Every structure is written in structure tokens, then in C-alpha cells.
Amino acid sequence: MSANRNLHKAKVNKKDEFYTQLSDIENELYHYWPHFRDKVVYCNCDDPRVSNFFRYFSLQFEPLGLKKLITTCYKNQQVDIFSQNDSERAIWLEYDGTRNETGVPSIEDIGVRHLEGNGDFRSAECIELLKQADIVVTNPPFSLFREYVAQLIEYDKKFLIIGNKNAITYKEIFPLIKQNKMWVGVTPMSRDLLFDLPKEYAQFLVETKREGSAYKVLDGVVKGRSQSMWFTNLDHKKRHEELILTKRYSPEKYPKYDNYDATEVSKTKDIPRDYSGAMGVPITFLDKYNPEQFEIIWTTDRGGDGMIEFMKKPHDRHDAPVVRGKGVYKRIFIRNKRPQA
DNA sequence: ATCTGTAGGGTGTAGGCTGG
DNA sequence: CCAGCCTACACCCTACAGAT
């Protein structure tokens, strides 16, 4: 019984109980089809038995024109302790599209192999699989997001992944966004993503958390709410769309920060069309960010290439932007490359 | 040279506001 | 009313100063 309790606790404590909804994958992937023809897709943080990523790519294998689909699945030691047999060993799957007449891949069509290790994306055997891949698509563990992205960059992979919104301001992540090496996917980042949950975890959330914050109920089904968004380095149409600006600058409407030499613009849609100086905007600006239209300078977080130092005014705090004595939330500093009259 | 206490920046989770 | 958007805040972590 006590082992049972521990198991339950282990399950509840396990962070990665959030499974991406098939509809969210479909809605995002829809915008990238040309990128996938003849490509090897790798989902390296997936359990193919429950993952909608594997499901999506195996079902869309032929329409997308994929060359190969590879999936690896992480299994931590915790689970092994309680399992009765070795069916919980880490596995990897390879699918090259051979199909039976039903159009749905059968187990015979898919090569299922055991991994030597635990399936950690950082392990040598998983890196070997990564090297074969053209595009990586998955929902990696948020706690390892930095390392995860660093590895993708190191091996020069195209990717389409889900991460926490706050990851934008991580000091390892923001430079990639500034340098246009990574950007926001098509699904608006301002909207929360909802996730499928295992039954026990859904129950745990309902019992201990608040509806609307930790979870939401959709058609009677409990979905986990997370401040998540898509990150990618695959080009898409949205990031080339001009953001239409209607407001005009005036010093009264657009105050300067007390501690930064920049103008506060509290809503992206209020960016003045005729202003060429540095502006602070909410991080959700990145939804509308078109690199031909705007230049990203830096965020209010310290670090970076020293640019931010030039914007600091004498003040007792620089951890948050301050307007008329009142602190506001994190901002991204931008400049309009082509202000209009 | 190493330890330790502390300040404050960095990160993640959750909650709140509001306009259509 | 609630999706869309913004913010509060606790706790972790790191750097660093001063002590040993």
C-alpha cells in the first residue's frame, strides 16, 4: 500500500503529464506543409503510445510526403522501480511509411526497438538519431528547455516545439529571438494552450487548484492550462505580415520610462506609426513581430550584448521597467525600422 | 584559499482585468 | 461571460562581500 502511495505521488509530481492536443498540432502544422516534403521528422520527447505528435505524423505521413518518422520516448528511473516487467523500457520507433490497406500504420509497419539508456534526449544514442533528422517536432520538458534548444542549435536542426512563454526572456533564449534564429509559431502566443491530462493528474488539479488558472473544463473534459506557445525556425507567412499601425506619437500619451531611455507602449496595437525611437512593448508583441518592419533591441532583463546598458537611466532599480514611479511587467525594447508620417 | 551569509536577480506558477 | 492579454509574487539560485 505504501508503495502504491509512493507511486501515486511520483505520478502526481511528474511534470511532464501534459499531452499536446491533436487539434493544437493540426492547427499549427497546417501552416508548414511545404517544409516537410521528403524530410525526416524526429519527435524526441514523446511516448508514441500516448503522443499526438507521433499520431499526427504517422497519419499524415503520405500527405506531407515525409521520408521518415523517428520517435524516442523517455522513461525515468522512478517508473522502472515500480514496474513488474521490462515493458516500461525506453523505446524508439522508426516509420518509413509502408502501410497496410487500412491506411493506418500497423505495428508491423513500425520498427519498435529498445534503447540502451533511458531515452533522454541528451543521451548519445538519441543524439545519433537527432543527426539523421531534418525537423524536430515535439513538446519537450519545460524544465530542460534551455538545454533542449541549445542542442537543436548545436546540431543545426529545423524545429517546431512547444515551450513556456516566459522562456522568451531566458537569457539563453532571447538572443536567438533577437537574432532571428527562432520565432513564434503561427498559433497566437497570447492564447493559453490546453493539454490533455492523465486521469489522476486531472483529478489532482481539480482538487487542489483553481479552475481557469491551473485547468479549464472543455466539453466536460478537464484540460491542463499552461502558458505555452510554439517556437520555431521554420518560416511562415505570419511573420512577414505588416503590422498595421494607426496611432500617432505624442509625449503625453506615450511616457518615457523612469529607468530606461525608451517610450512605454503598453499595448502592441498602440505602437505609434510615426515614432522611430526605442519603445518598450509587452512580450506578446512577438506575435506580431515582422523582422522587416521592426528591430528588436533587448528586453528589460539584464545581460545581452551590452545594448541595454546604454538605455539605462540613473535609478534604483532596473529589474523591471518603471513608468511614473510605477513598475510595469517585462518589456521588449523595439524600434520601428520604417516609421511613417 | 575557502566558507558562509546575504542581496537581489532569475524563473516558474498562478491569478486578475477587461472589452467585445 | 470569457478569451485574450497582462501582472503578481514566491522561491530558487548565483554572485559576491566579508569572515575565517
Side-chain angles (χ1 to χ4, degrees):
Chain A
M1 197 59 218
S2 110
N4 228 343
R5 237 193 337 266
N6 286 338
L7 175 58
H8 184 68
K9 200 171 161 215
K11 271 185 182 167
V12 167
N13 289 341
K14 205 159 147 274
K15 285 277 174 72
D16 310 318
E17 299 275 22
F18 277 43
Y19 299 116
T20 312
Q21 299 182 107
L22 185 59
S23 57
D24 285 333
I25 297 172
E26 287 169 345
N27 289 338
E28 183 67 22
L29 267 293
Y30 171 78
H31 300 274
Y32 303 87
W33 275 47
H35 290 292
F36 281 85
R37 180 152 297 279
D38 291 323
K39 294 292 162 48
V40 176
V41 170
Y42 183 30
C43 310
N44 58 353
C45 288
D46 267 28
D47 185 336
R49 289 160 295 197
V50 289
S51 165
N52 284 320
F53 284 101
F54 180 78
R55 186 176 152 80
Y56 177 83
F57 284 111
S58 60
L59 293 176
Q60 301 297 335
F61 196 93
E62 283 185 7
L64 282 166
L66 293 187
K67 193 174 180 182
K68 197 196 278 187
L69 171 62
I70 305 171
T71 301
T72 51
C73 167
Y74 177 72
K75 277 297 160 197
N76 66 28
Q77 302 308 312
Q78 204 77 28
V79 173
D80 286 335
I81 292 168
F82 297 104
S83 66
Q84 298 299 308
N85 51 48
D86 71 350
S87 68
E88 291 288 346
R89 277 173 64 190
I91 52 172
W92 69 281
L93 277 66
E94 189 174 83
Y95 179 57
D96 62 10
T98 48
R99 277 167 178 264
N100 54 41
E101 61 283 358
T102 64
V104 178
S106 74
I107 197 73
E108 288 80 29
D109 294 328
I110 301 168
V112 181
R113 299 165 213 191
H114 287 288
L115 289 167
E116 298 292 320
N118 61 6
D120 189 313
F121 66 84
R122 296 162 291 189
S123 66
E125 53 187 347
C126 287
I127 288 176
E128 283 310 307
L129 294 171
L130 175 67
K131 286 178 184 168
Q132 298 180 32
D134 297 304
I135 310 176
V136 176
V137 185
T138 197
N139 179 2
F142 287 5
S143 57
L144 300 173
F145 193 74
R146 268 173 281 243
E147 283 178 71
Y148 189 82
V149 171
Q151 183 174 300
L152 292 177
I153 299 294
E154 182 185 347
Y155 289 93
D156 197 22
K157 295 301 170 186
K158 293 289 178 187
F159 57 85
L160 186 53
I161 57 175
I162 289 176
N164 190 288
K165 251 183 259 185
N166 281 334
I168 286 171
T169 59
Y170 292 180
K171 57 184 183 302
E172 297 85 356
I173 300 297
F174 195 78
L176 300 173
I177 292 172
K178 175 180 155 65
Q179 295 160 25
N180 297 311
K181 291 180 179 170
M182 177 165 106
W183 46 86
V184 177
V186 176
T187 303
M189 65 171 282
S190 51
R191 238 174 48 202
D192 297 327
L193 290 180
L194 299 178
F195 293 84
D196 295 331
L197 302 168
K199 274 204 175 58
E200 319 84 63
Y201 194 63
Q203 194 185 342
F204 168 76
L205 289 180
V206 170
E207 285 169 0
T208 62
K209 308 285 180 179
R210 272 180 70 152
E211 179 168 2
S213 290
Y215 68 92
K216 287 188 174 179
V217 181
L218 220 67
D219 296 330
V221 181
V222 178
K223 303 275 187 177
R225 177 200 179 198
S226 164
Q227 306 261 77
S228 303
M229 56 180 284
W230 291 91
F231 290 95
T232 188
N233 58 358
L234 293 170
D235 203 11
H236 58 66
K237 219 172 110 198
K238 194 177 105 173
R239 68 189 289 267
H240 298 292
E241 284 170 6
E242 181 95 5
L243 177 61
I244 306 297
L245 305 172
T246 57
K247 299 286 169 68
R248 289 181 187 281
Y249 174 77
S250 76
E252 299 78 44
K253 276 189 253 169
Y254 296 93
K256 294 267 187 187
Y257 295 103
D258 299 354
N259 52 350
Y260 287 100
D261 187 16
T263 296
E264 157 78 351
V265 180
S266 60
K267 293 190 175 68
T268 298
K269 66 176 170 55
D270 292 342
I271 294 171
R273 51 181 283 142
D274 53 352
Y275 191 71
S276 59
M279 297 175 278
V281 290
I283 59 174
T284 44
F285 159 80
L286 291 180
D287 255 346
K288 308 288 194 295
Y289 171 49
N290 168 350
E292 290 107 46
Q293 187 179 12
F294 294 103
E295 170 199 0
I296 294 176
I297 302 170
W298 198 251
T299 80
T300 46
D301 288 326
R302 67 183 174 170
D305 49 12
M307 190 90 89
I308 199 74
E309 299 300 324
F310 293 106
M311 293 172 62
K312 283 183 178 172
K313 296 183 189 175
H315 201 272
D316 60 358
R317 58 181 292 201
H318 289 97
D319 55 318
V322 179
V323 182
R324 292 171 183 146
K326 193 172 175 295
V328 296
Y329 200 58
K330 289 172 184 169
R331 293 289 188 250
I332 293 173
F333 292 123
I334 60 164
R335 201 191 311 273
N336 190 340
K337 284 185 176 176
R338 43 188 192 211
Q340 294 156 322

